[in-house]
Amino acid sequence: MPAVSKGDGMRGLAVFISDIRNCKSKEAEIKRINKELANIRSKFKGDKALDGYSKKKYVCKLLFIFLLGHDIDFGHMEAVNLLSSNKYTEKQIGYLFISVLVNSNSELIRLINNAIKNDLSSRNPTFMCLALHCIANVGSREMAEAFAGEIPRILVAGDTMDSVKQSAALCLLRLYKTSPDLVLMGEWTSRVVHLLNDQHMGVVTAAISLITCLSQKNPDEFKTCVSLAVSRLSRIVSSASTDLQDYTYYFVPAPWLSCKLLRLLQCYPPPEDGAVKGRLVECLETILNKAQEPPKSKKVQHSNAKNAILFEAISLIIHYDSEPNLLVRACNQLGQFLQHRETNLRYLALESMCTLASSEFSHEAVKTHIETVINALKTERDVSVRQRAADLLYAMCDRSNAKQIVAEMLSYLETADYSIREEMVLKVAILAEKYAVDYSWYVDTILNLIRIAGDYVSEEVWYRVIQIVINRDDVQGYAAKTVFEALQAPACHENMVKVGGYILGEFGNLIAGDPRSSPLVQFNLLHSKFHLCSVPTRALLLSAYIKFINLFPETKSTIQEVLRSDSQIRNSDVELQQRAVEYLKLSSIASTDVLATVLEEMPPFPERESSILAKLKKKKGPGAVSVNELEEGKREGGELNGGGERGGDSSSTPSPSADLLGLRAGPPVTAAAPSAGSLLVDVFSEAGVNDDGFLSEFSRFVCKNNGVLFENQLLQIGIKSEYRQNLGRMYLFYGNKTSVQFVTFTTTLNVQAKPVEPLIEGGAQVQQVINIECLTDFSDAPLLNIKFRYGGALQNLTLKLPVTINKFFQPTEMASHDFFQRWKQLSLPQQEAQKIFKANHAMDTEVLKAKLLGLGMALLENVDPNPENFVCAGVIQTKAQQVGSLLRLEPNAQAQMYRLTVRSSKDTVSKRLCELLAEQF
Amino acid sequence: MIKAILIFNNHGKPRMSKFYEHYTEDTEQQIIRETFHLVSKRDENVCNFLEGGLLIGGSENKLIYRHYATLYFVFCVDSSESELGILDLIQVFVETLDKCFENVCELDLIFHLDKVHNILAEMVMGGMVLETNMSEIITQVEAQGKMEKSETLTLLFICQSMRQSQASRFSSKIS
């Protein structure tokens, strides 16, 4: 007899499901569903009390509708009512509804908690299990508050049924995860640990998850679990395949539990007690031995279960990293798996070997498999496996095999799947940098990288090659020669043009002796690419041209001609136009000496963590790349940034050319100008700092104009804005962080905005300009709605644009006397707004000053009799009127409090300014 | 921890979804679509593991799946689970469904969604594994089935006895 009887189902439900399945179109389906929803709603709302059976039927229908992806916004109350039924079937369906359609509706939670409380005290094991399941599924804070005290009692009570104990263990785990502060294990610790000895294997299975989690958080308190786990494991491993009866899975005794025990042991260092350790080593050896025995069954499940344990054992051996004998055996075993016909095993072997490669005992042993791994990268049909192979090559790379591995990765890159190209590029770039012995190899590798996979070479990669070339004078000539050759290709990637432009602009003179690369040839080559490039690259090229004028005076007239042409000097892009005008002027009025000083070679970059490594870390999440990797790289790879080798003359004084190009209206944040050394740093730091919550982003922009407004896994939105009088212009940069296109990208705004490109390529960025005019004072920020498709899914985002009233401030300088006179003039009660609030940040005078300046008002010195206080004055420019405002901020360092007073000629303005500012300090 | 268990058919129609972390209903549907997209384009005979989609945590999580005839069974798990162990767990789940429904097929899942949930609840709770022993799971499910039956039987019995008493009244009149 089947355990689930099919015949007694609910007819109405079956009919409804059949109807849906017979629907020919999506519209018909939606129509049928809406009809049913209306029907159920009217039944629930109707006067007639429904019997349990009908309620159950309707709730089942709702579940089905929910699965099809439709919102269910009613029925919760009916489900809650079912909980208090005495009938198992009704109670159960009620719990099911609640656990599938969890709703943190607080009123309902209270009712649900009541029902749960009743069921927990019912002493009916089935009801208790249902209630525990519900807690574990919803796991909200309110539930934790209500039951965190009760559940440990149920878990360790002597008379609790095994099935209830199992549920209680996992329920407690769930509550511990959501509200660790409410689950106090203190008195229960030892009894919970002893569940590892429980007779019932199901109880052990459930309890071990709980114990593992608790051990990770409080390793010391749960230390005793190690010896218990070892003895349990040893009993399982040494048991005959029939000893454990039902827990034997395809002739393997308790595979799941064995895996979990081995995982638990990975929370701890090797046992100190010799006897325990001996027993454990024995277990691990037995597991390794068993792998060599002939299989007891041909079924894949048998080998799966056996290997699941084996892989966990190997992980534990790698984790201990102290038994060379076991490590070598583990490595050999993995080596066997690398060539196994089961794809799953090859995948897992590659993955485990990655961790093994970092152990000093086994690194050499892992390296012996290099050919197999390279072969896997070339021939595996499955991209998941190829990806693991690439990871392993990366992990096993050291100085001895770097050239081979990098070459293989480069050649794989030509055919690699799009999904992993970006990561591959980063890895190649890091390995090339880390193990570069001669830098010509490094330069070759990176240029190859750009040639093969230019689209996937992120800015960090080409910034880095430039940093290294600048910092190492032994490679500069070679780099210039190589980029010059690479640029000869009729079609070369824009990133190549960027690198070429930068390097030739700095070091073109090193190859100018050869008539084949004379100054004019170099210039013509670069300029032949100019028209195919985007604005930021053109801007970079213009800077390269002005550098040429300094390097090669003979090119001056040709270049001036180019700069003077309408397409440059009247270019519609402000940035290009500005550069053309300024460079032209500079080249014609400055003397050779001045020019030589202004356009001096870039000073070496300060040493810092490789930006590429930072990017890979970010991409793979913490832990994926070991932190000391960079240190290692330094140790092995020598000083990459070796600034010391160059004359230290200019390294401390900022180069004047950096100032020249760091002008206010710089290019978009991503487009680094050739000499924008300082900009480079900003870009990196900005990309890294983004742990503030999304809500606070808005308020961060009150005192600044540029930065990252929003970032999630898909999209990054950067902002650059400038304001003058009552006008403003905001540049929004939408960066696609994925490798997939965003299509039908639209933004809507209740302010005039130029339309944005409807398509954002993977990894690309588009820009949108918004012109802003302040008509009158306001307190609500404009909302920006962004919609686009990523993959198939529609993404919808609404953001507050950080346009605040203070952006339209004109600073007003005034003397003490004037200030107080005006202060008195604004003495009507509604003209003043005041707030007293606690300091959120350290009360640093300089930081405060910077923030107040960022606000846009003039910071007036020597006005307030108390030097601790700050006073500011400014006029807000709107089209309708001008609103003069005065501000006084009084910090109280002892109380860590501020008093903020704002007076202005318009009451709404005072209020809004006060609100905005109170969040800032 | 198991983050989600998804069952969908070869066309991407969801047949069961169970999330052990909170997502909005909208995101849940997107995750199902994204997962289907990732899994369905893979050949047969490639490995059963892949990195999770962006919506469910990207490379932090793995998708471990099996394809049986018309259905995909996908478990989305974090790095604390053994890949092969989860593969076995899927097998246990399917074998249990097979025992409980006698030759389970897609239609059984469609028409008995509540029961599929109940069976799953005996194996996985709050994202952690509760029980891996198939006979133990089936015992629990059977016990529930019995309880269910006895409740419907009581109902039937009451109806029948009412009908009988009416019938006897009729017969007494006729005789």
Side-chain angles (χ1 to χ4, degrees):
Chain A
M1 190 196 79
V4 173
S5 42
K6 297 187 193 176
D8 62 346
M10 292 159 281
R11 225 181 83 78
L13 176 66
V15 169
F16 170 61
I17 294 175
S18 306
D19 278 1
I20 295 284
R21 288 169 49 77
N22 288 333
C23 285
K24 292 278 181 286
S25 65
K26 192 84 197 159
E27 289 72 36
E29 182 185 306
I30 291 174
K31 214 171 142 198
R32 178 68 184 88
I33 284 172
N34 284 337
K35 189 179 144 203
E36 191 63 41
L37 284 175
N39 171 38
I40 299 172
R41 206 188 289 262
S42 73
K43 284 276 164 34
F44 281 164
K45 288 232 172 95
D47 313 326
K48 236 175 62 189
L50 291 172
D51 58 7
Y53 170 80
S54 321
K55 273 193 207 156
K56 180 182 157 188
K57 184 176 73 184
Y58 293 131
V59 169
C60 274
K61 283 182 179 175
L62 289 181
L63 273 179
F64 185 79
I65 294 172
F66 178 73
L67 176 70
L68 291 178
H70 298 266
D71 268 4
I72 301 294
D73 53 2
F74 67 100
H76 300 81
M77 202 56 217
E78 283 68 23
V80 172
N81 286 337
L82 284 174
L83 296 185
S84 47
S85 161
N86 283 326
K87 287 217 176 75
Y88 164 73
T89 42
E90 289 166 14
K91 193 185 276 292
Q92 182 229 35
I93 207 83
Y95 274 123
L96 177 59
F97 183 92
I98 285 161
S99 55
V100 174
L101 281 123
V102 264
N103 198 320
S104 47
N105 188 329
S106 60
E107 288 163 49
L108 278 180
I109 288 282
R110 227 180 301 129
L111 293 171
I112 296 169
N113 277 357
N114 263 336
I116 291 176
K117 201 165 275 166
N118 287 335
D119 283 336
L120 281 184
S121 53
S122 70
R123 311 196 64 79
N124 173 337
T126 317
F127 289 2
M128 289 173 85
C129 282
L130 281 176
L132 290 168
H133 268 277
C134 184
I135 302 174
N137 273 314
V138 177
S140 68
R141 178 118 192 130
E142 286 102 323
M143 284 195 172
E145 278 164 4
F147 303 111
E150 173 72 10
I151 292 166
R153 232 190 305 280
I154 297 177
L155 176 60
V156 297
D159 57 347
T160 307
M161 297 262 298
D162 289 332
S163 61
V164 179
K165 262 192 206 170
Q166 284 170 275
S167 301
L170 293 187
C171 185
L172 189 59
L173 170 55
R174 178 58 192 255
L175 294 185
Y176 182 76
K177 279 185 179 165
T178 44
S179 322
D181 53 319
L182 294 177
V183 179
L184 304 168
M185 291 311 296
E187 45 179 323
W188 311 111
T189 305
S190 121
R191 295 174 77 179
V192 168
V193 170
H194 275 87
L195 289 172
L196 286 176
N197 265 339
D198 200 282
Q199 301 244 303
H200 190 275
M201 297 276 272
V203 174
V204 188
T205 306
I208 194 154
S209 293
L210 173 65
I211 295 168
T212 307
C213 178
L214 292 169
S215 303
Q216 279 162 349
K217 297 279 158 58
N218 329 286
D220 286 339
E221 289 161 47
F222 284 83
K223 230 175 16 210
T224 46
C225 72
V226 173
S227 61
L228 288 175
V230 169
S231 67
R232 189 92 218 190
L233 180 70
S234 145
R235 269 181 282 158
I236 296 173
V237 169
S238 57
S239 68
S241 60
T242 48
D243 280 3
L244 298 165
Q245 293 162 358
D246 290 336
Y247 284 88
T248 299
Y249 174 85
Y250 289 90
F251 305 102
V252 183
W256 180 269
L257 186 53
S258 309
C259 287
K260 286 287 167 185
L261 286 165
L262 288 161
R263 275 280 159 128
L264 172 60
L265 292 171
Q266 286 173 51
C267 303
Y268 289 92
E272 282 153 19
D273 182 335
V276 177
K277 189 170 181 189
R279 208 166 170 196
L280 179 58
V281 168
E282 209 173 288
C283 281
L284 294 173
E285 277 170 349
T286 315
I287 294 170
L288 286 168
N289 291 341
K290 277 190 182 172
Q292 302 303 328
E293 289 170 10
K296 294 198 177 73
S297 154
K298 285 213 169 82
K299 283 243 165 78
V300 65
Q301 282 80 9
H302 172 70
S303 67
N304 256 359
K306 213 164 106 174
N307 292 326
I309 302 175
L310 182 56
F311 273 109
E312 285 308 325
I314 291 175
S315 298
L316 183 62
I317 293 169
I318 297 172
H319 167 75
Y320 285 165
D321 199 18
S322 61
E323 302 278 328
N325 172 36
L326 286 175
L327 277 167
V328 169
R329 284 191 70 182
C331 187
N332 290 341
Q333 182 63 54
L334 292 178
Q336 277 183 27
F337 282 146
L338 281 184
Q339 317 220 33
H340 202 279
R341 61 187 169 77
E342 270 280 318
T343 318
N344 285 340
L345 295 183
R346 295 199 300 274
Y347 175 97
L348 294 173
L350 288 166
E351 194 177 56
S352 298
M353 261 203 183
C354 258
T355 44
L356 202 55
S358 57
S359 155
E360 58 177 307
F361 293 116
S362 47
H363 185 78
E364 287 304 314
V366 171
K367 271 168 62 185
T368 59
H369 298 286
I370 185 166
E371 295 302 331
T372 321
V373 183
I374 287 173
N375 203 33
L377 187 66
K378 284 180 177 160
T379 59
E380 280 288 352
R381 290 200 304 131
D382 184 351
V383 56
S384 311
V385 185
R386 289 198 296 271
Q387 196 168 355
R388 291 289 90 84
D391 286 348
L392 178 53
L393 280 181
Y394 178 74
M396 66 162 67
C397 191
D398 62 17
R399 188 163 287 192
S400 71
N401 54 19
K403 281 199 175 170
Q404 185 191 8
I405 286 178
V406 167
E408 292 294 347
M409 285 175 121
L410 269 177
S411 79
Y412 170 62
L413 203 52
E414 303 208 36
T415 53
D417 311 76
Y418 294 105
S419 54
I420 64 173
R421 280 196 183 185
E422 192 187 352
E423 201 185 311
M424 290 285 294
V425 166
L426 289 176
K427 285 185 167 155
V428 171
I430 290 169
L431 291 180
E433 178 182 333
K434 194 164 156 185
Y435 299 113
V437 188
D438 67 286
Y439 282 88
S440 52
W441 175 72
Y442 171 75
V443 170
D444 282 342
T445 306
I446 300 296
L447 293 184
N448 262 329
L449 207 53
I450 297 176
R451 192 176 50 75
I452 295 169
D455 284 342
Y456 298 89
V457 172
S458 56
E459 282 148 359
E460 288 84 348
V461 174
W462 73 262
Y463 289 172
R464 189 69 186 157
V465 69
I466 284 170
Q467 284 172 17
I468 286 173
V469 170
I470 299 273
N471 288 8
R472 302 207 48 109
D473 39 17
D474 51 341
V475 75
Q476 287 159 355
Y478 181 80
K481 182 166 157 286
T482 325
V483 286
F484 178 75
E485 279 160 12
L487 285 172
Q488 308 278 342
C492 59
H493 195 274
E494 193 165 333
N495 280 338
M496 188 71 90
V497 179
K498 288 180 185 163
V499 176
Y502 199 119
I503 289 183
L504 291 181
E506 294 290 328
F507 309 114
N509 54 333
L510 299 176
I511 55 167
D514 188 329
R516 282 166 301 176
S517 53
S518 71
L520 220 53
V521 175
Q522 287 185 36
F523 170 73
N524 286 332
L525 180 63
L526 279 181
H527 199 53
S528 69
K529 314 284 180 195
F530 187 89
H531 306 278
L532 303 169
C533 292
S534 63
V535 169
T537 310
R538 289 187 192 192
L540 186 153
L541 285 177
L542 287 179
S543 299
Y545 297 168
I546 185 74
K547 289 237 163 187
F548 266 41
I549 292 185
N550 176 43
L551 288 180
F552 318 115
E554 66 266 38
T555 59
K556 185 169 171 178
S557 58
T558 320
I559 291 174
Q560 281 182 332
E561 200 59 43
V562 169
L563 292 176
R564 206 177 286 127
S565 71
D566 279 356
S567 60
Q568 307 300 352
I569 213 156
R570 298 210 174 145
N571 195 297
S572 58
D573 185 274
V574 233
E575 176 63 26
L576 291 182
Q577 194 185 90
Q578 187 177 1
R579 286 197 189 202
V581 171
E582 285 176 2
Y583 292 164
L584 185 61
K585 210 69 192 161
L586 180 68
S587 68
S588 43
I589 58 170
S591 70
T592 350
D593 285 351
V594 172
L595 213 55
T597 320
V598 171
L599 300 169
E600 196 183 9
E601 197 176 293
M602 285 295 291
F605 286 89
E607 191 163 331
R608 68 167 87 93
E609 181 184 13
S610 161
S611 49
I612 317 177
L613 201 57
K615 170 143 181 168
L616 187 69
K617 273 184 201 162
K618 205 173 141 201
K619 208 169 145 54
K620 298 292 277 184
V625 180
S626 68
V627 187
N628 56 16
E629 208 160 318
L630 188 76
E631 311 308 322
E632 247 173 69
K634 289 232 186 72
R635 201 182 60 222
E636 297 179 24
E639 288 292 313
L640 270 181
N641 285 310
E645 292 170 32
R646 291 165 51 107
D649 51 283
S650 56
S651 54
S652 56
T653 42
S655 146
S657 67
D659 284 342
L660 177 75
L661 294 174
L663 283 172
R664 187 180 41 77
V669 268
T670 49
S675 39
S678 55
L679 194 58
L680 216 54
V681 184
D682 284 343
V683 172
F684 295 146
S685 63
E686 210 131 22
V689 188
N690 220 306
D691 35 17
D692 297 46
F694 154 54
L695 277 176
S696 65
E697 297 294 339
F698 178 78
S699 69
R700 278 183 26 200
F701 282 91
V702 170
C703 292
K704 65 176 196 170
N705 286 336
N706 306 330
V708 175
L709 174 65
F710 172 81
E711 182 157 15
N712 66 8
Q713 288 175 328
L714 305 176
L715 182 70
Q716 185 190 52
I717 304 178
I719 277 202
K720 219 170 140 61
S721 50
E722 49 195 20
Y723 296 88
R724 193 162 301 146
Q725 306 273 353
N726 65 327
L727 299 176
R729 178 175 292 170
M730 179 175 278
Y731 298 86
L732 289 170
F733 302 96
Y734 303 99
N736 180 342
K737 291 172 63 183
T738 70
S739 50
V740 184
Q741 272 184 357
F742 293 162
V743 291
T744 61
F745 192 93
T746 55
T747 60
T748 45
L749 183 68
N750 45 352
V751 183
Q752 167 213 357
K754 288 189 182 159
V756 67
E757 287 285 319
L759 198 134
I760 308 184
E761 292 289 345
Q765 195 185 50
V766 300
Q767 173 188 343
Q768 182 179 30
V769 185
I770 295 171
N771 290 315
I772 300 163
E773 183 175 7
C774 180
L775 300 175
T776 176
D777 70 289
F778 61 96
S779 36
D780 291 329
L783 292 180
L784 175 72
N785 183 262
I786 300 162
K787 281 191 183 134
F788 59 92
R789 285 193 175 276
Y790 161 67
L794 184 69
Q795 308 281 332
N796 196 342
L797 205 71
T798 302
L799 296 175
K800 263 191 190 176
L801 274 188
V803 181
T804 43
I805 186 74
N806 63 293
K807 301 289 182 195
F808 304 96
F809 257 126
Q810 285 279 101
T812 322
E813 293 289 347
M814 56 179 81
S816 174
H817 170 73
D818 293 336
F819 181 86
F820 285 108
Q821 193 176 2
R822 292 190 197 195
W823 185 264
K824 277 181 205 133
Q825 281 167 1
L826 298 169
S827 58
L828 291 173
Q830 65 268 29
Q831 286 174 330
E832 181 182 286
Q834 193 174 68
K835 256 195 177 151
I836 297 172
F837 53 90
K838 251 199 133 43
N840 288 321
H841 306 282
M843 292 174 121
D844 180 338
T845 315
E846 289 310 310
V847 175
L848 283 176
K849 272 188 185 165
K851 279 192 175 161
L852 287 169
L853 283 173
L855 183 70
M857 298 173 94
L859 183 61
L860 305 177
E861 307 271 355
N862 307 325
V863 169
D864 200 291
N866 181 350
E868 300 292 308
N869 294 347
F870 299 94
V871 293
C872 302
V875 179
I876 290 178
Q877 307 275 346
T878 75
K879 198 179 176 196
Q881 64 183 129
Q882 297 189 345
V883 185
S885 308
L886 303 173
L887 172 152
R888 188 180 197 191
L889 181 70
E890 297 157 276
N892 181 338
Q894 268 132 23
Q896 288 289 305
M897 300 281 280
Y898 290 102
R899 180 162 69 186
L900 173 69
T901 318
V902 179
R903 287 189 180 185
S904 67
S905 51
K906 205 163 171 198
D907 50 349
T908 46
V909 172
S910 312
K911 233 176 100 224
R912 181 62 186 155
L913 281 176
C914 204
E915 282 165 17
L916 282 173
L917 272 177
E919 296 163 14
Q920 299 298 317
F921 302 107
Chain B
M1 172 185 178
I2 301 171
K3 299 288 171 78
I5 295 175
L6 310 174
I7 306 177
F8 41 73
N9 72 4
N10 291 346
H11 305 290
K13 275 253 180 234
R15 291 310 178 204
M16 196 214 66
S17 65
K18 178 78 194 155
F19 288 85
Y20 295 101
E21 283 198 333
H22 289 274
Y23 295 100
T24 63
E25 289 158 27
D26 209 32
T27 320
E28 287 186 3
Q29 290 297 322
Q30 284 181 29
I31 290 174
I32 296 175
R33 274 197 298 275
E34 185 189 46
T35 311
F36 169 71
H37 183 73
L38 286 171
V39 170
S40 62
K41 70 175 178 201
R42 293 169 60 81
D43 295 333
E44 297 291 324
N45 302 325
V46 297
C47 76
N48 302 73
F49 324 122
L50 67 155
E51 284 183 1
L54 280 180
L55 292 169
I56 200 153
S59 54
E60 308 269 292
N61 289 329
K62 276 211 173 97
L63 301 176
I64 296 171
Y65 73 100
R66 272 182 185 276
H67 190 194
Y68 296 90
T70 62
L71 291 176
Y72 285 97
F73 286 71
V74 188
F75 280 42
C76 177
V77 303
D78 67 11
S79 60
S80 70
E81 301 291 346
S82 146
E83 288 92 343
L84 290 173
I86 293 289
L87 220 46
D88 285 341
L89 195 68
I90 300 179
Q91 180 71 18
V92 171
F93 183 34
V94 174
E95 283 184 30
T96 311
L97 288 175
D98 199 52
K99 286 248 168 62
C100 291
F101 284 108
E102 271 186 355
N103 278 328
V104 68
C105 69
E106 192 179 339
L107 282 178
D108 291 321
L109 305 195
I110 298 171
F111 286 99
H112 302 281
L113 184 58
D114 54 328
K115 288 179 180 139
V116 179
H117 272 289
N118 290 345
I119 293 169
L120 184 62
E122 293 300 326
M123 293 182 64
V124 181
M125 178 170 159
M128 304 306 282
V129 172
L130 185 64
E131 183 59 81
T132 55
N133 175 355
M134 195 157 51
S135 51
E136 188 83 19
I137 299 167
I138 291 174
T139 313
Q140 294 290 340
V141 175
E142 270 172 354
Q144 293 169 9
K146 267 184 207 140
M147 263 191 279
E148 208 170 301
K149 199 149 268 174
S150 71
E151 283 173 7
T152 34
L153 276 182
T154 337
L155 205 72
L156 264 179
F157 180 71
I158 297 169
C159 292
Q160 272 173 356
S161 57
M162 275 166 65
R163 247 181 257 146
Q164 269 169 6
S165 59
Q166 282 175 347
S168 57
R169 250 179 277 151
F170 282 124
S171 55
S172 61
K173 268 185 188 172
I174 291 165
S175 65

